[in-house]
Amino acid sequence: MTADIHVHQSIAKALADHGVDTLFGLMGDANLFMVDSYVRDHDGRFVPAANEGSSVLMALAYTHVCGKLGVATVTHGPALTNCVTALTEGARGHVPMVLLAGDTPVDNPRHLQGIDQRELAKASGAGFEQLRSPATASKDVARAVYRAQVERRPIVLNMPADFMWEKTTHEKHVLDVFTNPGGVAEGDTLDNAIGMIASARRPLILAGAGAVAARDQLVKLADRLEAPLATTLKAKGLFNEHPYNIDMFGTLSTPAAYDLIAQSDCIICFGASLHDFTTDQGKLMKGKRIVQVDVNPTAIGGGLHPDAALIADAGLTAETIVYWLDEAEIPSSGFTRDLDIEELTAHPAGPNKTGDGYINFVHALERLEALFPKDRILVTDGGRFMTEVWCRISAPDPHSFVPTVNFGSIGLGLQEAIGAAVAQPDRPTVLFTGDGGFMMGGINEFNTAVRMGLNLTVIVANDAAYGAEHIQFLDRKMDPALSVFEWPSFAATATALGGIGVEVRSDSDLEAAIDTLRGHTSGPALIELHLDPHDVPRMRI
């Protein structure tokens, strides 16, 4: 217990009590003194964003990449409304983070910026925690941190501005949290699942984001069964270097891998919710036995009903299955013995119809894949370009891959790339974004990356259009003019904002850009790929 201090100081001290060493945000009336105390009294690092929603996205990526709880702060009213898309992205992605949001004074119900902040947060899918009184400030911070970890979603802690200069007695409150629940599967359902697996001649193991921590156990099960391994998008990179890794499952599979999945007779799914993109709207699961293992009950049965559902820990369940297969002396399936993994993981390039003045996108991706260090952090925005990036640009592991697609929004990529780069500054971060996404959410934060001196390279896929809409007009033989835009030069803009910008319109331009950026680590750089809007590969989802 300490002597009386102000509430804004108690909140800052509570963050330090929880080991929060980085705070993303934008200051305003209701949080500026708390931020000041956090930086000056506790040596905290404050990353100032240009837009409030950006600070939430930065914190989400920070959580994902380094595994520590991301924390952001904004003031009240329009500051919080600017965060709705970002909070929804975090809630849909089950990412723990805390947003310290100021609120208008309790005694001024007609404040110009006053809104019902609880209802706003709830509408996004985030949780809401109220700072109840000056006396409970440290307890309320602890409660928000606790809930973010156990509920695995953003929690908004609402802080009335008129509390900030009230006095309180600070007490340290830190709730220890065990965040990996789940037991061992048992009973008839487990017996039935093992029976399905034991009788399968062509089993396949699918891992999602919920099974990332169980990699070793899943590999052991795959080796025991002689079963291929595949991942959902969010678990991209989990089985890198394994000889029977067929990479991503579903609409992002190679044609050969898609055919292999179609031939399988039993899919054993760990930590994967089996949505329409993974299952190709259920087509890939027809005629197969489906065993689904997940600690989250809501992940099972949403779009597809498995033949056996086990609410249990992925790793422990995989170990249990191996144990009983060995006890029963079940022979391996032999499914992997004649597989050609090189063929199964090769994405065809397709015809090159790129016009003059443009770079072929697939060729550019293949060159960039070779350029960037393997220990990269890969971030992708939403948009028409993204599926080719997912298929052709590698990530070393799922924690190094940040796809901003939980809410189907564009314009979130650069903000999350900043959070990823702040989380691990010694590693290169690479962002792929489209022209529309960069205009929507990139330009206003590129200078934030410059100010922070981040080791960040931004690749802008510029087809001078909102590409997904452009292709829909063309498909219906309509004039696509409304989807076409004359953007400014993104490379020149990046240079004007303090970074390095390079334009690419040809193979020779691309090689020159690669020479310019090879070994560059001092601040952000941007490569603008000018793409033919009529020759950008179609989305695979």
Side-chain angles (χ1 to χ4, degrees):
M1 187 177 296
T2 63
D4 284 356
I5 58 176
H6 294 113
V7 168
H8 69 265
Q9 295 171 312
S10 180
I11 296 169
K13 188 170 179 57
L15 294 179
D17 290 342
H18 284 86
V20 176
D21 58 14
T22 301
L23 179 63
F24 302 91
L26 201 155
M27 291 191 297
D29 293 349
N31 67 343
L32 77 166
F33 302 114
M34 180 274 292
V35 172
D36 183 79
S37 177
Y38 172 75
V39 173
R40 297 182 189 279
D41 299 335
H42 304 287
D43 295 322
R45 174 173 54 171
F46 180 61
V47 179
N51 178 276
E52 291 89 355
S54 300
S55 64
V56 174
L57 295 166
M58 293 173 190
L60 294 175
Y62 182 89
T63 297
H64 179 82
V65 171
C66 72
K68 297 175 64 176
L69 184 71
V71 181
T73 184
V74 300
T75 190
H76 41 55
L80 187 59
T81 61
N82 282 344
C83 296
V84 172
T85 296
L87 288 170
T88 307
E89 173 75 10
R92 296 280 181 90
H94 308 289
V95 183
M97 64 86 57
V98 170
L99 175 60
L100 304 173
D103 199 359
T104 52
V106 175
D107 63 359
N108 185 1
R110 300 183 66 183
H111 192 286
L112 176 64
Q113 294 186 332
I115 55 172
D116 189 336
Q117 300 199 161
R118 179 188 296 272
E119 292 303 315
L120 186 75
K122 288 169 58 180
S124 73
F128 185 89
E129 194 70 31
Q130 179 67 44
L131 199 155
R132 296 165 292 168
S133 72
T136 63
S138 61
K139 292 181 181 179
D140 296 332
V141 172
R143 175 70 178 168
V145 170
Y146 168 80
R147 288 186 58 195
Q149 293 176 88
V150 298
E151 296 176 24
R152 301 197 64 76
R153 61 172 175 161
I155 301 296
V156 176
L157 176 60
N158 207 54
M159 311 179 302
D162 47 346
F163 285 4
M164 292 299 158
W165 284 95
E166 295 291 323
K167 286 293 188 74
T168 187
T169 301
H170 181 86
E171 296 182 51
K172 183 175 181 178
H173 294 280
V174 177
L175 301 172
D176 289 332
V177 183
F178 179 70
T179 58
N180 188 29
V184 180
E186 58 184 22
D188 292 343
T189 304
L190 174 64
D191 293 342
N192 292 337
I194 293 174
M196 296 174 198
I197 295 167
S199 62
R201 298 278 59 87
R202 297 180 301 280
L204 188 148
I205 291 174
L206 170 63
V212 168
R215 180 192 185 278
D216 292 346
Q217 295 96 323
L218 299 188
V219 166
K220 184 177 179 181
L221 176 59
D223 291 343
R224 173 63 178 80
L225 290 171
E226 293 186 346
L229 288 156
T231 74
T232 63
L233 171 66
K234 290 189 178 181
K236 175 181 169 69
L238 182 62
F239 300 123
N240 284 350
E241 312 305 328
H242 191 278
Y244 302 128
N245 172 30
I246 66 169
D247 204 17
M248 287 180 288
F249 185 108
T251 57
L252 297 173
S253 298
T254 67
Y258 190 99
D259 289 343
L260 182 77
I261 295 166
Q263 295 167 21
S264 65
D265 58 5
C266 181
I267 309 291
I268 314 159
C269 313
F270 294 89
S273 58
L274 302 181
H275 58 59
D276 285 350
F277 298 138
T278 299
T279 66
D280 195 5
Q281 298 184 333
K283 296 175 188 175
L284 281 173
M285 299 307 194
K286 289 182 178 178
K288 301 173 176 57
R289 296 293 186 89
I290 308 299
V291 177
Q292 191 175 2
V293 182
D294 207 299
V295 295
N296 180 10
T298 63
I300 294 177
L304 180 147
H305 291 274
D307 297 284
L310 304 171
I311 310 298
D313 179 84
L316 294 174
T317 301
E319 289 178 346
T320 301
I321 293 170
V322 170
Y323 173 83
W324 287 114
L325 291 174
D326 288 344
E327 284 291 299
E329 298 182 351
I330 301 298
S332 300
S333 71
F335 190 28
T336 57
R337 292 174 191 173
D338 298 321
L339 297 185
D340 184 341
I341 291 299
E342 186 173 342
E343 178 188 2
L344 287 166
T345 55
H347 290 272
N352 182 354
K353 301 178 182 177
T354 301
D356 293 338
Y358 300 107
I359 183 76
N360 179 265
F361 190 41
V362 169
H363 170 73
L365 292 178
E366 290 174 347
R367 288 293 292 125
L368 292 169
E369 164 66 13
L371 166 67
F372 294 122
K374 293 298 182 185
D375 188 33
R376 69 193 68 149
I377 299 171
L378 173 63
V379 184
T380 61
D381 204 337
R384 177 184 182 182
F385 71 92
M386 63 184 173
T387 53
E388 289 300 319
V389 176
W390 294 339
C391 293
R392 300 180 187 278
I393 302 295
S394 63
D397 56 71
H399 291 296
S400 302
F401 175 52
V402 187
T404 62
V405 293
N406 296 309
F407 192 30
S409 174
I410 66 171
L412 311 184
L414 184 56
Q415 303 91 312
E416 295 218 21
I418 290 173
V422 169
Q424 295 198 3
D426 295 333
R427 297 174 61 194
T429 298
V430 180
L431 165 69
F432 284 84
T433 183
D435 47 344
F438 190 74
M439 281 294 293
M440 185 180 295
I443 285 180
N444 61 343
E445 296 299 349
F446 188 84
N447 183 253
T448 301
V450 171
R451 286 185 281 109
M452 299 298 295
L454 299 179
N455 183 5
L456 170 64
T457 302
V458 178
I459 312 297
V460 179
N462 182 8
D463 61 358
Y466 277 105
E469 290 70 29
H470 185 271
I471 198 66
Q472 290 187 63
F473 281 127
L474 292 178
D475 284 346
R476 294 184 179 273
K477 302 186 183 330
M478 296 171 65
D479 182 355
L482 289 175
S483 66
V484 177
F485 290 83
E486 293 187 13
W487 305 118
S489 167
F490 296 120
T493 301
T495 302
L497 291 171
I500 293 177
V502 185
E503 289 199 56
V504 172
R505 294 182 178 273
S506 65
D507 289 349
S508 59
D509 285 351
L510 180 61
E511 295 307 316
I514 289 172
D515 288 340
T516 298
L517 297 183
R518 186 174 280 115
H520 173 75
T521 59
S522 56
L526 182 147
I527 299 176
E528 181 178 0
L529 302 177
H530 287 275
L531 307 180
D532 185 342
H534 298 280
D535 190 43
V536 177
R538 289 176 176 269
M539 294 175 67
R540 304 193 197 185
I541 57 176

